[in-house]
Amino acid sequence: MSSHDDKIQSGGGYFHMKGVAWSILAMGLSLAVIIIAYVMFGHIGPSFSAERINVQQAELREQYGLPAQEVIRNQSILLTPPSLRTLNQTTTSG
């Protein structure tokens, strides 16, 4: 038998694998934390951001004395960037 076979049989040859095991454990725990957070909070999505922007704009308009602005609730409009909302939707690229 070679010295390598002796190390494997005695159990001392895979000491360097402890680092790999700790790394896999850390990745598994991180993934578990992410899944638990997703289950607790759920999918937030673009409606959360749109609602937060509406609240911020209303607060700022009130603070600076600006007139109130219509609140957009249509999801298809909210998913379009503001810079592209004014473009004609019927144009096609050619």
Side-chain angles (χ1 to χ4, degrees):
M1 289 184 145
S2 69
S3 63
H4 180 45
D5 292 334
D6 292 336
K7 286 182 183 177
I8 292 173
Q9 289 177 357
S10 66
Y14 293 106
F15 181 74
H16 63 280
M17 295 299 285
K18 284 186 179 181
V20 173
W22 282 110
S23 301
I24 292 172
L25 180 65
M27 287 188 287
L29 290 175
S30 320
L31 189 58
V33 168
I34 291 170
I35 290 170
I36 290 170
Y38 183 80
V39 167
M40 287 178 62
F41 299 111
H43 178 71
I44 295 175
S47 61
F48 173 78
S49 300
E51 186 61 35
R52 185 66 194 136
I53 288 173
N54 288 334
V55 169
Q56 286 177 343
Q57 286 181 353
E59 289 173 356
L60 289 171
R61 288 182 174 280
E62 182 180 328
Q63 181 180 353
Y64 291 106
L66 297 171
Q69 186 179 20
E70 177 187 346
V71 176
I72 301 171
R73 301 253 185 236
N74 186 349
Q75 291 295 323
S76 63
I77 294 175
L78 290 175
L79 292 175
T80 306
S83 60
L84 298 177
R85 290 179 189 168
T86 59
L87 293 179
N88 187 359
Q89 298 295 331
T90 60
T91 59
T92 60
S93 60

